[in-house]
Amino acid sequence: MSSTLSIPLGFCFPPTVATSFPHSQTKPQNVTFQRRKTTTKACAASENPNQRQNPKQNQKEAKTKNAGDDDGEKGINPAGFLAKRGISHKAFAQFLRERYKVLKDMKDEILKRHENFMILASGFELLGMHRHPEHRVDYMEWAPGARYCAIIGDFNGWSPTEDCAREHYFGHDDFGYWFIILQDKLREGEEPDKYYFQMYNYVDDYDKGDSGVSVEELIKKANEKYWQPGEDRFVNNRFEGPVKLYEQIFGPNGPQTIEDIPDIPDPETRYKAWAAEHGPSPTAAIDSGKEYDIYNVIVDPQWQEKIRALEPPVLYWFETRKGRKAWMKKYSPGIPHGSKYRVYFNTANGPLERVPAWATYVQPEVDGRQACAIHWEPSPEQAYKWKNMSPKVPKSLRIYEAHVGISGSEPKISSFNDFTDKVLPYIKEAGYNAIQLIGIVEHKDYFTVGYRVTNFFAVSSRYGTPEDFKRLVDEAHGLGLLIILEIVHSYAAADEMVGLSMFDGSNDCFFRSGKRGQHKFWGTRMFKYGDPDVLHFLLSNLNWWIVEYQIDGFQFHSVSSMMYTHNGFASFTGELEEYCNQYVDKDALVYLILANEILHSLHPNIITIAEDATFYPGLCEPTSQGGLGFDYYVNLSVPDMWSTFLESVPDHEWSMTKIVNTLVSNREHADKMLMYAENHNQSISGRRSFAEILFGEIDENSNHYKESLLRGSSLHKIIRLITLTIGGRAYLNFMGNEFGHPKRVEFPTSSNNNSYLLANRQWDLLTKDGVHRDLFAFDKDMMKLDENVKVLSRNIPNIHHVNDSSMVISYIRGPLLFIFNFHPKDSYDSYSIGVEEAGEYQIILNTDEIKYGGQGILKEEQYFLKTISRRVDGLRNCLEVSLPSRTSQVYKLRRILRI
């Protein structure tokens, strides 16, 4: 028995419905980084939307799909960088291959639940609070250990029963994701929309639906243009086909017993028989012959091509959307902008309240009041409108590290707007091309500087609103400055009331259990990097800061804390066994690889920097060759060396060999190195800044005041100049250190009676004549040196002169010759330094100039020198230079002499 009906069954959903949910079951595939398209496709009842892509696009995706499937595949070598570097180490090579297998398994697991990696990293589009065009707000949260979930807040009287979802109902899936709908409320005297799915556009200048054209008129217009006569019958009676099939098989004219039912051919055979009698069918519903009712939908190819050639009715349907003004007249928001709210769980251990994990704005605990999330949905008039594009990424980075809260002169917490108006222009004037912001993400207690993060998607409310931070980033871009965010994914705050620890009460979903879940020394929690849902959270967090705030890069804070079970607190000798033993966390390494792969695929201009004290092999190597994929790594041994020298080693005992070896470190990776003489670590947490060490104990009334001031100023300059010019392609300076800020940073704590006296910067020092103004003038010219001559972007220098006896260092980088005399007393009148090119050399930067606080020993005629044809330092020619003690000079070849 077979039955067919030639009517369209038109059940067609937008393709984003299934693919956007975090755990839609899709066929496993390898990574395809497609950018989201906002246009909506028309689809027939049985059509696979993916089949309608451009063939070239399908081929491109097929190639991407197959990439990395096998170790031997072209372009993929899990231990490739070892051969590139000439490293032979079987155990480490085997570890890299095993790590690659863990990575492949994780990708396969992820792609069973997400269509692609772009969707994996876009969880913020679904989780948390989101405005829906059908006059409602949707809320989604991951809490697998909860039995009941509700949103409580001042908008519903903090009721745990009014806005809720329950297990085994629509609001909870098998992976622990809860879904709650907060309906907007009809205003008094208003009637509900005729169509329950009526959509609203929340931008004021989109009021097409307010033009007076009714929904009925638009539907009629769409039908007339799209459907042939009779094809739209299903609009009025969409169950006509199934009803007739049911009646034919089980009605009064159908078989009365099972024995009466003959053998039923397969659906294709039945359709061909029916089509031979009745002609091709646009859509034919055919009973499958099973004991239960299942209907196959057959679509005639010719009819399908005809429909594809027509303009789809979806475009007309958008005309039914009403604008924001119409919505405001008819509805009041279910949760108004600025409302305080928390998520309420009922668990096996009882009820509890939490700040939502995906909250984008949070008010921390103040004066004993419980922390709350703030619903941030500003009106179009209040929402920030971006004006500037991100600057082009330079070949070298001159990074100004800053903390917004301490950026003002007054003893208080400064705001985003203060920083935008006062500090951004200063940074531009100082000659830096990037800003690295610390402490931006909402964190536990101000004195923790921002490292005990509680709410990973929220800017800290201490400094202002999300719109204020967007303005800061936008204005920085307008000045040509990149914004790099220091991101803390290596651990999180252990706080349960406002952070993620024991988030769902009965199941510590975000963090490892037992000792592995606790940082051994800092009292923080360690993420469960091997869990796909935790990866969904962390990778989405990275993408969020780029999409929402247009961040240009990340410095990953303390990756050694996450890469090792001992949190990096172990002695490292550099032997490769230390990087592949039982203390290395493969899951954390896999997360870092995924983070770099996804970030660089979705945002090709993104910058990623690794802060790792252990120099993990392959930090900046391509992930396809066994590396972790970072663009830069921080040489943390440099500031430690300078601190040790300044505090513990007499000036005349400084080792030039140690200075060079520490600064250059590994020459093979030097082009990926970020260097700094000191950052915030040297002036925070009870430590002293270099300026405090050099100038802090100088007595203005002492006999040696001028000598001590000259020593401090000279060392401050030459330390920075050699750190900037001898290493890699990136340099960093902490806010205020460029002019020798005389005081350390001390955040308000109980130990200092919560004082803000040292939690600021003394910008007024730059308005007065003296050492601080001189040091700023030098730092500014040092930045100009790189901007004009491109020092950092050039190849690693040829270091040809290192003399521990005379304490002189010299090297050549590009067209520049750098000479440093670290000796505390000895000056040299005719010191021979080798150069390769014969010609005339001119000093273009001299640390001893009077405008930099020096003595001005060299006269104008000494700024121009000609080479002598004598082999020195293994080079064909030499210069005989005057080197006052504790000074440095930069020479540029002005004219080549041919001999």
Side-chain angles (χ1 to χ4, degrees), residues 15 43 90 92 105 177 215 261 299 358 424 427 449 516 549 562 567 615 657 794:
C43 56
K90 290 184 178 180
F92 190 65
D105 291 343
Y177 286 82
V215 173
I261 299 177
V299 179
W358 299 74
L424 283 184
I427 298 173
V449 192
R516 289 288 301 278
Y549 294 107
M562 59 194 292
N567 303 133
F615 291 96
T657 301
R794 296 185 182 273

PDB file of all heavy atoms in Angstrom, residues 15 43 90 92 105 177 215 261 299 358 424 427 449 516 549 562 567 615 657 794:
ATOM      1  N   PRO A  15      19.086  27.980   8.893  1.00  0.00           N
ATOM      2  CA  PRO A  15      20.200  27.065   9.128  1.00  0.00           C
ATOM      3  C   PRO A  15      20.947  27.324  10.408  1.00  0.00           C
ATOM      4  O   PRO A  15      21.642  26.457  10.893  1.00  0.00           O
ATOM      5  CB  PRO A  15      21.108  27.285   7.904  1.00  0.00           C
ATOM      6  CG  PRO A  15      20.685  28.599   7.328  1.00  0.00           C
ATOM      7  CD  PRO A  15      19.249  28.764   7.659  1.00  0.00           C
ATOM      8  N   CYS A  43      15.167  27.336   2.106  1.00  0.00           N
ATOM      9  CA  CYS A  43      15.462  25.909   2.003  1.00  0.00           C
ATOM     10  C   CYS A  43      14.187  25.133   1.754  1.00  0.00           C
ATOM     11  O   CYS A  43      13.114  25.483   2.221  1.00  0.00           O
ATOM     12  CB  CYS A  43      16.151  25.410   3.273  1.00  0.00           C
ATOM     13  SG  CYS A  43      15.227  25.720   4.774  1.00  0.00           S
ATOM     14  N   LYS A  90      64.697  11.690  21.560  1.00  0.00           N
ATOM     15  CA  LYS A  90      63.624  10.738  21.279  1.00  0.00           C
ATOM     16  C   LYS A  90      62.457  10.889  22.241  1.00  0.00           C
ATOM     17  O   LYS A  90      61.294  10.846  21.833  1.00  0.00           O
ATOM     18  CB  LYS A  90      64.178   9.313  21.336  1.00  0.00           C
ATOM     19  CG  LYS A  90      65.121   8.973  20.189  1.00  0.00           C
ATOM     20  CD  LYS A  90      65.550   7.513  20.255  1.00  0.00           C
ATOM     21  CE  LYS A  90      66.455   7.161  19.078  1.00  0.00           C
ATOM     22  NZ  LYS A  90      66.891   5.751  19.130  1.00  0.00           N
ATOM     23  N   PHE A  92      61.390  13.489  23.997  1.00  0.00           N
ATOM     24  CA  PHE A  92      60.595  14.697  23.774  1.00  0.00           C
ATOM     25  C   PHE A  92      59.836  14.607  22.456  1.00  0.00           C
ATOM     26  O   PHE A  92      58.688  15.046  22.364  1.00  0.00           O
ATOM     27  CB  PHE A  92      61.490  15.934  23.793  1.00  0.00           C
ATOM     28  CG  PHE A  92      60.730  17.238  23.801  1.00  0.00           C
ATOM     29  CD1 PHE A  92      59.934  17.574  24.877  1.00  0.00           C
ATOM     30  CD2 PHE A  92      60.799  18.107  22.726  1.00  0.00           C
ATOM     31  CE1 PHE A  92      59.224  18.771  24.892  1.00  0.00           C
ATOM     32  CE2 PHE A  92      60.098  19.295  22.721  1.00  0.00           C
ATOM     33  CZ  PHE A  92      59.307  19.625  23.819  1.00  0.00           C
ATOM     34  N   ASP A 105      42.202  13.939  19.283  1.00  0.00           N
ATOM     35  CA  ASP A 105      41.051  13.371  19.987  1.00  0.00           C
ATOM     36  C   ASP A 105      40.155  14.478  20.533  1.00  0.00           C
ATOM     37  O   ASP A 105      38.922  14.374  20.482  1.00  0.00           O
ATOM     38  CB  ASP A 105      41.522  12.465  21.125  1.00  0.00           C
ATOM     39  CG  ASP A 105      42.190  11.189  20.628  1.00  0.00           C
ATOM     40  OD1 ASP A 105      42.001  10.856  19.447  1.00  0.00           O
ATOM     41  OD2 ASP A 105      42.910  10.546  21.414  1.00  0.00           O
ATOM     42  N   TYR A 177      23.238  22.395  30.225  1.00  0.00           N
ATOM     43  CA  TYR A 177      22.975  23.774  29.826  1.00  0.00           C
ATOM     44  C   TYR A 177      21.506  24.110  30.121  1.00  0.00           C
ATOM     45  O   TYR A 177      20.600  23.434  29.634  1.00  0.00           O
ATOM     46  CB  TYR A 177      23.280  23.984  28.345  1.00  0.00           C
ATOM     47  CG  TYR A 177      24.766  24.037  28.052  1.00  0.00           C
ATOM     48  CD1 TYR A 177      25.504  22.884  27.906  1.00  0.00           C
ATOM     49  CD2 TYR A 177      25.421  25.259  27.948  1.00  0.00           C
ATOM     50  CE1 TYR A 177      26.878  22.930  27.652  1.00  0.00           C
ATOM     51  CE2 TYR A 177      26.785  25.332  27.695  1.00  0.00           C
ATOM     52  CZ  TYR A 177      27.505  24.162  27.550  1.00  0.00           C
ATOM     53  OH  TYR A 177      28.856  24.219  27.304  1.00  0.00           O
ATOM     54  N   VAL A 215       1.122  42.609   8.154  1.00  0.00           N
ATOM     55  CA  VAL A 215       1.741  41.304   7.954  1.00  0.00           C
ATOM     56  C   VAL A 215       1.013  40.532   6.873  1.00  0.00           C
ATOM     57  O   VAL A 215       1.624  39.863   6.036  1.00  0.00           O
ATOM     58  CB  VAL A 215       1.752  40.508   9.278  1.00  0.00           C
ATOM     59  CG1 VAL A 215       2.230  39.084   9.035  1.00  0.00           C
ATOM     60  CG2 VAL A 215       2.606  41.201  10.319  1.00  0.00           C
ATOM     61  N   ILE A 261      -2.750  -5.978   4.756  1.00  0.00           N
ATOM     62  CA  ILE A 261      -1.785  -4.999   4.232  1.00  0.00           C
ATOM     63  C   ILE A 261      -0.776  -5.735   3.356  1.00  0.00           C
ATOM     64  O   ILE A 261      -0.071  -6.636   3.800  1.00  0.00           O
ATOM     65  CB  ILE A 261      -1.050  -4.284   5.375  1.00  0.00           C
ATOM     66  CG1 ILE A 261      -2.056  -3.526   6.246  1.00  0.00           C
ATOM     67  CG2 ILE A 261       0.005  -3.330   4.822  1.00  0.00           C
ATOM     68  CD1 ILE A 261      -1.422  -2.843   7.448  1.00  0.00           C
ATOM     69  N   VAL A 299      11.452  15.375  -3.131  1.00  0.00           N
ATOM     70  CA  VAL A 299      11.436  16.665  -3.839  1.00  0.00           C
ATOM     71  C   VAL A 299      11.902  16.448  -5.268  1.00  0.00           C
ATOM     72  O   VAL A 299      12.966  15.886  -5.508  1.00  0.00           O
ATOM     73  CB  VAL A 299      12.369  17.676  -3.139  1.00  0.00           C
ATOM     74  CG1 VAL A 299      12.357  19.005  -3.893  1.00  0.00           C
ATOM     75  CG2 VAL A 299      11.917  17.892  -1.701  1.00  0.00           C
ATOM     76  N   TRP A 358      28.822  33.891  32.587  1.00  0.00           N
ATOM     77  CA  TRP A 358      28.970  34.624  31.333  1.00  0.00           C
ATOM     78  C   TRP A 358      28.514  36.071  31.456  1.00  0.00           C
ATOM     79  O   TRP A 358      28.293  36.744  30.443  1.00  0.00           O
ATOM     80  CB  TRP A 358      28.197  33.920  30.219  1.00  0.00           C
ATOM     81  CG  TRP A 358      28.668  32.524  29.942  1.00  0.00           C
ATOM     82  CD1 TRP A 358      28.457  31.416  30.721  1.00  0.00           C
ATOM     83  CD2 TRP A 358      29.432  32.068  28.831  1.00  0.00           C
ATOM     84  NE1 TRP A 358      29.037  30.312  30.160  1.00  0.00           N
ATOM     85  CE2 TRP A 358      29.642  30.672  28.986  1.00  0.00           C
ATOM     86  CE3 TRP A 358      29.952  32.690  27.692  1.00  0.00           C
ATOM     87  CZ2 TRP A 358      30.347  29.910  28.073  1.00  0.00           C
ATOM     88  CZ3 TRP A 358      30.653  31.916  26.773  1.00  0.00           C
ATOM     89  CH2 TRP A 358      30.850  30.555  26.967  1.00  0.00           C
ATOM     90  N   LEU A 424      46.169  58.381  27.344  1.00  0.00           N
ATOM     91  CA  LEU A 424      46.346  57.983  25.944  1.00  0.00           C
ATOM     92  C   LEU A 424      47.159  58.999  25.146  1.00  0.00           C
ATOM     93  O   LEU A 424      48.101  58.613  24.432  1.00  0.00           O
ATOM     94  CB  LEU A 424      44.993  57.751  25.278  1.00  0.00           C
ATOM     95  CG  LEU A 424      44.258  56.439  25.591  1.00  0.00           C
ATOM     96  CD1 LEU A 424      42.977  56.345  24.772  1.00  0.00           C
ATOM     97  CD2 LEU A 424      45.139  55.231  25.326  1.00  0.00           C
ATOM     98  N   ILE A 427      50.826  58.637  26.032  1.00  0.00           N
ATOM     99  CA  ILE A 427      51.484  57.439  25.484  1.00  0.00           C
ATOM    100  C   ILE A 427      51.830  57.653  24.019  1.00  0.00           C
ATOM    101  O   ILE A 427      52.911  57.261  23.563  1.00  0.00           O
ATOM    102  CB  ILE A 427      50.567  56.205  25.665  1.00  0.00           C
ATOM    103  CG1 ILE A 427      50.328  55.939  27.154  1.00  0.00           C
ATOM    104  CG2 ILE A 427      51.173  54.975  24.998  1.00  0.00           C
ATOM    105  CD1 ILE A 427      49.309  54.845  27.424  1.00  0.00           C
ATOM    106  N   VAL A 449      45.450  43.202  42.005  1.00  0.00           N
ATOM    107  CA  VAL A 449      45.968  43.779  40.765  1.00  0.00           C
ATOM    108  C   VAL A 449      45.220  43.279  39.531  1.00  0.00           C
ATOM    109  O   VAL A 449      45.424  43.782  38.446  1.00  0.00           O
ATOM    110  CB  VAL A 449      47.495  43.517  40.613  1.00  0.00           C
ATOM    111  CG1 VAL A 449      48.096  44.357  39.496  1.00  0.00           C
ATOM    112  CG2 VAL A 449      48.216  43.793  41.908  1.00  0.00           C
ATOM    113  N   ARG A 516      45.023  18.781  42.257  1.00  0.00           N
ATOM    114  CA  ARG A 516      45.275  19.333  40.926  1.00  0.00           C
ATOM    115  C   ARG A 516      44.435  20.580  40.674  1.00  0.00           C
ATOM    116  O   ARG A 516      44.762  21.380  39.793  1.00  0.00           O
ATOM    117  CB  ARG A 516      44.977  18.297  39.851  1.00  0.00           C
ATOM    118  CG  ARG A 516      45.966  17.140  39.777  1.00  0.00           C
ATOM    119  CD  ARG A 516      47.307  17.567  39.200  1.00  0.00           C
ATOM    120  NE  ARG A 516      47.194  18.115  37.867  1.00  0.00           N
ATOM    121  CZ  ARG A 516      47.114  17.405  36.754  1.00  0.00           C
ATOM    122  NH1 ARG A 516      47.125  16.084  36.831  1.00  0.00           N
ATOM    123  NH2 ARG A 516      47.037  17.978  35.579  1.00  0.00           N
ATOM    124  N   TYR A 549      35.092  44.051  22.094  1.00  0.00           N
ATOM    125  CA  TYR A 549      35.888  45.231  22.450  1.00  0.00           C
ATOM    126  C   TYR A 549      37.020  45.521  21.464  1.00  0.00           C
ATOM    127  O   TYR A 549      37.814  46.420  21.694  1.00  0.00           O
ATOM    128  CB  TYR A 549      36.455  45.067  23.865  1.00  0.00           C
ATOM    129  CG  TYR A 549      35.380  45.045  24.932  1.00  0.00           C
ATOM    130  CD1 TYR A 549      35.033  43.866  25.586  1.00  0.00           C
ATOM    131  CD2 TYR A 549      34.704  46.210  25.274  1.00  0.00           C
ATOM    132  CE1 TYR A 549      34.046  43.846  26.561  1.00  0.00           C
ATOM    133  CE2 TYR A 549      33.715  46.205  26.251  1.00  0.00           C
ATOM    134  CZ  TYR A 549      33.397  45.022  26.894  1.00  0.00           C
ATOM    135  OH  TYR A 549      32.412  45.009  27.853  1.00  0.00           O
ATOM    136  N   MET A 562      49.998  26.747  34.358  1.00  0.00           N
ATOM    137  CA  MET A 562      49.035  25.792  33.831  1.00  0.00           C
ATOM    138  C   MET A 562      49.702  24.604  33.149  1.00  0.00           C
ATOM    139  O   MET A 562      49.119  23.526  33.090  1.00  0.00           O
ATOM    140  CB  MET A 562      48.099  26.494  32.850  1.00  0.00           C
ATOM    141  CG  MET A 562      48.789  27.141  31.678  1.00  0.00           C
ATOM    142  SD  MET A 562      47.740  28.304  30.759  1.00  0.00           S
ATOM    143  CE  MET A 562      46.547  27.218  30.036  1.00  0.00           C
ATOM    144  N   ASN A 567      53.002  23.792  38.884  1.00  0.00           N
ATOM    145  CA  ASN A 567      52.713  25.211  38.620  1.00  0.00           C
ATOM    146  C   ASN A 567      53.941  26.024  38.267  1.00  0.00           C
ATOM    147  O   ASN A 567      53.961  27.256  38.435  1.00  0.00           O
ATOM    148  CB  ASN A 567      52.002  25.854  39.813  1.00  0.00           C
ATOM    149  CG  ASN A 567      50.718  25.152  40.193  1.00  0.00           C
ATOM    150  OD1 ASN A 567      50.448  24.865  41.348  1.00  0.00           O
ATOM    151  ND2 ASN A 567      49.895  24.846  39.196  1.00  0.00           N
ATOM    152  N   PHE A 615      60.797  28.784  29.667  1.00  0.00           N
ATOM    153  CA  PHE A 615      61.262  28.712  28.281  1.00  0.00           C
ATOM    154  C   PHE A 615      60.867  27.378  27.634  1.00  0.00           C
ATOM    155  O   PHE A 615      61.709  26.660  27.097  1.00  0.00           O
ATOM    156  CB  PHE A 615      62.785  28.904  28.199  1.00  0.00           C
ATOM    157  CG  PHE A 615      63.237  30.292  28.532  1.00  0.00           C
ATOM    158  CD1 PHE A 615      63.678  30.611  29.809  1.00  0.00           C
ATOM    159  CD2 PHE A 615      63.218  31.289  27.573  1.00  0.00           C
ATOM    160  CE1 PHE A 615      64.085  31.891  30.122  1.00  0.00           C
ATOM    161  CE2 PHE A 615      63.620  32.574  27.879  1.00  0.00           C
ATOM    162  CZ  PHE A 615      64.057  32.889  29.164  1.00  0.00           C
ATOM    163  N   THR A 657      79.506  39.516  30.179  1.00  0.00           N
ATOM    164  CA  THR A 657      79.144  38.245  29.538  1.00  0.00           C
ATOM    165  C   THR A 657      77.766  37.783  29.986  1.00  0.00           C
ATOM    166  O   THR A 657      76.941  37.340  29.167  1.00  0.00           O
ATOM    167  CB  THR A 657      80.199  37.178  29.869  1.00  0.00           C
ATOM    168  OG1 THR A 657      81.477  37.606  29.415  1.00  0.00           O
ATOM    169  CG2 THR A 657      79.841  35.851  29.216  1.00  0.00           C
ATOM    170  N   ARG A 794      64.751  44.685  12.684  1.00  0.00           N
ATOM    171  CA  ARG A 794      65.902  44.191  11.937  1.00  0.00           C
ATOM    172  C   ARG A 794      66.396  42.863  12.511  1.00  0.00           C
ATOM    173  O   ARG A 794      65.962  42.426  13.574  1.00  0.00           O
ATOM    174  CB  ARG A 794      67.034  45.222  11.967  1.00  0.00           C
ATOM    175  CG  ARG A 794      66.673  46.532  11.266  1.00  0.00           C
ATOM    176  CD  ARG A 794      67.843  47.483  11.206  1.00  0.00           C
ATOM    177  NE  ARG A 794      67.452  48.745  10.568  1.00  0.00           N
ATOM    178  CZ  ARG A 794      67.480  48.951   9.266  1.00  0.00           C
ATOM    179  NH1 ARG A 794      67.880  47.988   8.447  1.00  0.00           N
ATOM    180  NH2 ARG A 794      67.120  50.124   8.764  1.00  0.00           N
TER     181      ARG A 794
END
